[in-house]
Structures are given as C-alpha cells and as structure tokens.
Amino acid sequence: MKKFLHAILYAALGFALPACMPVPQQTETEGDTPVVVADFPQSEIELPALDDPRTLLPSPSIDTIFSPHKAITTDFSARERAHIAVQDAQRFANGNTEIIDLTLIQPEDYAFPLPGGKVISPYGGRRRYHSGTDIKTRANDTIVAAFDGIVRMARPYSAYGNVIVIRHYNGLETVYSHNSKNLVKPGDRVEAGTAIALTGRTGRATTEHLHFEVRFNGAHFNPNYVFRFKSHKLQHNYLICKKHRDGSVTVSPVKKQDAFLVEDVTSPKE
Ligand SMILES: [Zn+2]
C-alpha cells in the first residue's frame, strides 16, 4: 500500500524530480534500529519531457517537503508527554514549508473520531478562541483515533480535562479532550478507528462531548480542513503548512482541483 501511495505521489510530482536523481529512501526509527519504510518504485514513474520547463526546478528536497509518511518517535520527552502544544523537532527540518496531501489517505486509514457525532460548536466562529470542534453523541461513548499514529500524551490537563494527543505519520497531531476515561497511554501505537477514550465532561465543559483539535508543530488549525463534519468524510485537500519568520505556524487548505497552486508554493524563491 505504501509503495502504491508513493507511486501516485511521485507520478504526480514527476516533473519535480530530475531523472538522474537517486531514489530517496525514507527511514523511521524503531527502537535504535532505523528501518526503511518505503522506497520509490522507479520503473513505474513516467519521466517528464525534457523540454517541460518544470523539469528545471531544482527540487532536491521535494520529498522531504511533500511526504506522506514522516519519521515519528515512540520515545517522547517529558515535555511532549506533559503538554498539548509542543513543537516537533522533525517538522520544518528542511525548510519553512511542509505539505500534507490528504488525498493520499485511503478510506481504511482514517476514521471519524466520534462515530455518529454531530457538531455542537465549530472551530473559531462564534466562540472566538475555540481551538477545536465540539462533537456530541452521549456520555461514555467511544472516541476513536482519526489516523494511524502514536499516543504522545494521555493525562488530565487543565481546562481540557482528560486529554489524548496522537502524533500521526503525516506530521499532523490530533487532540481528544474532556474524556471521562482515557484508554491508551503515551507510546501506544494506534490505528485509525482504535478506541482511545470515552466521552465525558472533565475539565471546562458543560456537557458530555468530544473537543477535537488538529495541530501541526503545536499550532491548532480548523479541523474542517481535514474532515467534512456532515458526511464524516475526509476532505480532499492539500494542507500547506508554513513556518513564518516570527516562528508562528499557519496551515491553509488547497483543494485537490486547485492543486496546480501547490507548484507555486514549492517553487524555490531566489
Ligand atoms: Zn471545544
């Protein structure tokens, strides 16, 4: 499956990789042993025509900017286990832009975090600083992991009450808050759909519900860029994650049909 995804990704980005470029291999660390998690099926890639001006783009780091599968650790620091908004040393290691392609996520690789849930309060909106989307079903209902990943934090945390934070392989993090009970602990590997907590009203909450956040490098952004909350389906977006000079991080969505815009984002600025 991962090879297949890579094939799609590189076919889509074939213009950006010079034909002579060595095959990039991604590794992730499992314990102390780096393991190859994916390699690039060279023979299946259609090479761009030589007179295509886009072949002139010097993009040696395109793979690191635009990768569906990034290295994540199971060995989180005390700070990472203790706080929701933490910066991830792996993020922006190769520049100030990373792109997450949600269209590469297969239907079996995501799950709506509270099946059957309805939105009772959106991100931002009427409540000016609302950092997530509130979703409701009933008390002690099962909350599930939205994507495959590793639990970074599971503990009571101030107004969040019992909260779970999961780090995912595409660089996103998801946050699940006000739980009556957490069912997983830091370091646990979870898959999309794994039960991780029960809905509650711990912390600052007036009714049992799930407060759901998505974050990148510690910065929260509109979960509606990722999920369609009516249909519970995934959005077909590219997420353009940018780190600015002042250190702040913004995430903006680009629709799949407008994907040519991504080229502007990844083109080097001289
Ligand atoms: Zn909320």
Side-chain angles (χ1 to χ4, degrees):
M1 178 59 77
K2 290 196 179 77
K3 279 195 174 186
F4 174 68
L5 293 181
H6 257 64
I8 294 175
L9 175 67
Y10 281 97
L13 290 175
F15 63 81
L17 282 172
C20 57
M21 203 175 156
V23 174
Q25 288 201 323
Q26 297 186 312
T27 58
E28 85 176 308
T29 304
E30 184 141 18
D32 292 322
T33 317
V35 291
V36 175
V37 293
D39 53 46
F40 170 37
Q42 208 166 18
S43 61
E44 296 169 27
I45 303 306
E46 194 179 320
L47 296 174
L50 286 176
D51 57 355
D52 185 334
R54 293 173 299 186
T55 59
L56 301 175
L57 281 179
S59 309
S61 60
I62 193 79
D63 183 56
T64 52
I65 294 174
F66 202 148
S67 167
H69 196 112
K70 301 170 192 294
I72 56 174
T73 181
T74 54
D75 187 21
F76 294 108
S77 67
R79 180 172 169 72
E80 287 173 318
R81 289 163 182 252
H83 296 285
I84 291 173
V86 295
Q87 298 207 338
D88 177 355
Q90 300 292 323
R91 304 281 67 82
F92 302 113
N94 297 286
N96 60 7
T97 304
E98 286 196 31
I99 299 172
I100 296 170
D101 182 355
L102 298 175
T103 71
L104 293 180
I105 301 174
Q106 299 299 299
E108 65 271 25
D109 294 330
Y110 71 85
F112 191 73
L114 186 60
K118 288 197 167 61
V119 172
I120 56 171
S121 180
Y123 177 87
R126 287 165 293 170
R127 291 164 59 188
R128 208 166 148 207
Y129 295 108
H130 195 210
S131 56
T133 301
D134 290 347
I135 312 167
K136 185 168 176 63
T137 50
R138 59 186 181 278
N140 294 311
D141 199 5
T142 303
I143 299 166
V144 301
F147 307 104
D148 299 355
I150 297 171
V151 178
R152 170 165 76 70
M153 173 177 170
R155 54 167 293 210
Y157 189 79
S158 172
Y160 282 81
N162 291 322
V163 63
I164 303 276
V165 180
I166 301 174
R167 185 170 287 177
H168 303 291
Y169 297 101
N170 57 9
L172 289 181
E173 292 193 323
T174 50
V175 179
Y176 312 79
S177 155
H178 304 311
N179 313 331
S180 65
K181 191 178 182 188
N182 290 343
L183 305 174
V184 289
K185 60 184 189 311
D188 284 356
R189 283 176 188 273
V190 294
E191 295 185 346
T194 300
I196 55 167
L198 303 178
T199 52
R201 52 182 294 180
T202 56
R204 197 166 63 226
T206 53
T207 181
E208 283 87 356
H209 73 282
L210 166 65
H211 169 92
F212 175 70
E213 295 181 1
V214 283
R215 289 177 178 259
F216 190 84
N217 203 49
H220 59 76
F221 61 95
N222 193 339
N224 188 240
Y225 297 167
V226 177
F227 281 106
R228 298 180 218 197
F229 283 94
K230 281 203 174 123
S231 64
H232 294 187
K233 297 269 170 55
L234 210 58
Q235 294 277 18
H236 282 176
N237 282 339
Y238 293 121
L239 302 178
I240 315 297
C241 310
K242 286 203 164 211
K243 188 174 191 177
H244 302 277
R245 285 210 181 114
D246 63 0
S248 64
V249 171
T250 56
V251 176
S252 44
V254 175
K255 285 282 173 201
K256 186 183 182 184
Q257 59 266 32
D258 298 330
F260 63 90
L261 293 173
V262 170
E263 206 180 316
D264 297 334
V265 173
T266 56
S267 295
K269 301 274 186 295
E270 296 300 333

Short mmCIF file of all heavy atoms in Angstrom, two decimals, residues 121 127 130-134 178 209-212, ligand 1:
data_model
loop_
_atom_site.label_atom_id
_atom_site.label_comp_id
_atom_site.label_asym_id
_atom_site.label_seq_id
_atom_site.Cartn_x
_atom_site.Cartn_y
_atom_site.Cartn_z
N SER A 121 -20.41 22.86 18.35
CA SER A 121 -19.72 24.16 18.34
C SER A 121 -18.52 24.05 17.41
O SER A 121 -17.67 23.18 17.59
CB SER A 121 -19.28 24.53 19.75
OG SER A 121 -18.62 25.77 19.73
N ARG A 127 -17.49 31.37 19.14
CA ARG A 127 -16.60 31.43 20.30
C ARG A 127 -15.20 31.72 19.77
O ARG A 127 -14.57 30.89 19.18
CB ARG A 127 -16.64 30.11 21.07
CG ARG A 127 -17.97 29.91 21.76
CD ARG A 127 -18.14 28.47 22.18
NE ARG A 127 -17.08 28.04 23.09
CZ ARG A 127 -16.93 26.77 23.48
NH1 ARG A 127 -17.73 25.84 23.02
NH2 ARG A 127 -15.97 26.44 24.31
N HIS A 130 -12.09 29.43 20.12
CA HIS A 130 -12.33 27.99 20.22
C HIS A 130 -11.30 27.25 19.36
O HIS A 130 -11.30 27.36 18.14
CB HIS A 130 -13.75 27.66 19.75
CG HIS A 130 -14.19 26.31 20.14
ND1 HIS A 130 -15.07 25.57 19.39
CD2 HIS A 130 -13.86 25.54 21.20
CE1 HIS A 130 -15.28 24.41 19.99
NE2 HIS A 130 -14.54 24.37 21.08
N SER A 131 -10.45 26.47 20.02
CA SER A 131 -9.29 25.86 19.35
C SER A 131 -9.60 24.53 18.70
O SER A 131 -8.70 23.88 18.15
CB SER A 131 -8.16 25.68 20.37
OG SER A 131 -8.63 24.91 21.47
N GLY A 132 -10.86 24.11 18.76
CA GLY A 132 -11.21 22.83 18.15
C GLY A 132 -12.68 22.80 17.76
O GLY A 132 -13.36 23.83 17.76
N THR A 133 -13.16 21.62 17.40
CA THR A 133 -14.56 21.42 17.04
C THR A 133 -15.19 20.53 18.10
O THR A 133 -14.62 19.49 18.47
CB THR A 133 -14.66 20.72 15.66
OG1 THR A 133 -14.01 21.54 14.69
CG2 THR A 133 -16.11 20.50 15.26
N ASP A 134 -16.36 20.95 18.63
CA ASP A 134 -17.05 20.14 19.64
C ASP A 134 -18.04 19.21 18.96
O ASP A 134 -18.89 19.65 18.16
CB ASP A 134 -17.79 21.04 20.63
CG ASP A 134 -16.84 21.81 21.52
OD1 ASP A 134 -15.64 21.47 21.55
OD2 ASP A 134 -17.30 22.74 22.21
N HIS A 178 -11.83 16.33 27.22
CA HIS A 178 -12.97 16.24 28.15
C HIS A 178 -13.39 14.79 28.41
O HIS A 178 -14.50 14.53 28.87
CB HIS A 178 -14.20 17.03 27.65
CG HIS A 178 -13.94 18.48 27.38
ND1 HIS A 178 -13.30 19.30 28.27
CD2 HIS A 178 -14.25 19.26 26.31
CE1 HIS A 178 -13.22 20.52 27.76
NE2 HIS A 178 -13.78 20.52 26.57
N HIS A 209 -19.11 15.76 25.77
CA HIS A 209 -18.83 15.87 24.33
C HIS A 209 -17.35 15.66 24.09
O HIS A 209 -16.55 15.59 25.03
CB HIS A 209 -19.27 17.24 23.79
CG HIS A 209 -18.39 18.38 24.21
ND1 HIS A 209 -18.45 18.95 25.47
CD2 HIS A 209 -17.42 19.06 23.55
CE1 HIS A 209 -17.57 19.93 25.55
NE2 HIS A 209 -16.92 20.02 24.40
N LEU A 210 -17.00 15.57 22.81
CA LEU A 210 -15.59 15.50 22.41
C LEU A 210 -15.16 16.86 21.88
O LEU A 210 -15.78 17.38 20.94
CB LEU A 210 -15.40 14.43 21.32
CG LEU A 210 -14.06 14.48 20.56
CD1 LEU A 210 -12.89 14.17 21.50
CD2 LEU A 210 -14.07 13.50 19.38
N HIS A 211 -14.14 17.44 22.47
CA HIS A 211 -13.49 18.62 21.90
C HIS A 211 -12.31 18.08 21.09
O HIS A 211 -11.36 17.53 21.64
CB HIS A 211 -13.03 19.56 23.02
CG HIS A 211 -12.13 20.67 22.55
ND1 HIS A 211 -12.59 21.90 22.17
CD2 HIS A 211 -10.77 20.72 22.40
CE1 HIS A 211 -11.56 22.66 21.81
NE2 HIS A 211 -10.44 21.97 21.95
N PHE A 212 -12.40 18.23 19.76
CA PHE A 212 -11.43 17.63 18.84
C PHE A 212 -10.58 18.72 18.18
O PHE A 212 -11.13 19.66 17.62
CB PHE A 212 -12.18 16.82 17.78
CG PHE A 212 -11.32 16.24 16.70
CD1 PHE A 212 -10.46 15.19 16.97
CD2 PHE A 212 -11.37 16.73 15.39
CE1 PHE A 212 -9.67 14.63 15.96
CE2 PHE A 212 -10.58 16.18 14.38
CZ PHE A 212 -9.73 15.13 14.68
ZN ZN B 1 -14.40 22.69 22.44
#
